[in-house]
Amino acid sequence: MAIYPYGRKVWSLDGASLSGAGSTSSVVLDIHDVTDLWLAAFVANAPTGTTPTLTLQVDLLDQDGNVFPAALALTALTAAGHQSGSCGLYTSNLVLPMQCQVTWTLGGTTPAFTGVTLSLFGR
């Protein structure tokens, strides 16, 4: 049984401005006490640039720090709006390791997203 049956915030990036093509990852996050994760992305404002995209994923790390990318990947955001998804023991029969990281990627030419909130919850 999960220690946090109602969930807790594991990590968030609140009201951020993201710009420039490329990928960025959060710090390594401790998830030893959760069995499921819910990843959410909210973009408050219309992005600028040519064909801007924002993709978001949860990467899992093994005990040696090796990264297993995109255990959970959200559909790319290309406009203001939101996406979310979940993974874990009860949602996708995936046993979670002790650590993960959130990775976001901006694509397009000079992409810029403002009013971005990224959140990872666990239970």
Side-chain angles (χ1 to χ4, degrees), residues 5-31:
Y6 301 108
R8 67 172 176 89
K9 184 175 12 175
V10 175
W11 173 87
S12 69
L13 181 67
D14 301 315
S17 293
L18 308 176
S19 62
S23 295
T24 305
S25 296
S26 69
V27 297
V28 172
L29 305 167
D30 180 3
I31 57 168

Side-chain angles (χ1 to χ4, degrees), residues 21 66 111:
N66 298 308

Side-chain angles (χ1 to χ4, degrees), residues 40-52:
F42 176 78
V43 176
N45 306 308
T48 60
T50 305
T51 62

Side-chain angles (χ1 to χ4, degrees), residues 82-105:
H82 58 86
Q83 291 287 340
S84 69
S86 59
C87 69
L89 184 61
Y90 298 107
T91 58
S92 58
N93 294 321
L94 175 68
V95 176
L96 298 173
M98 294 181 64
Q99 297 178 323
C100 74
Q101 65 187 19
V102 177
T103 299
W104 57 96
T105 303

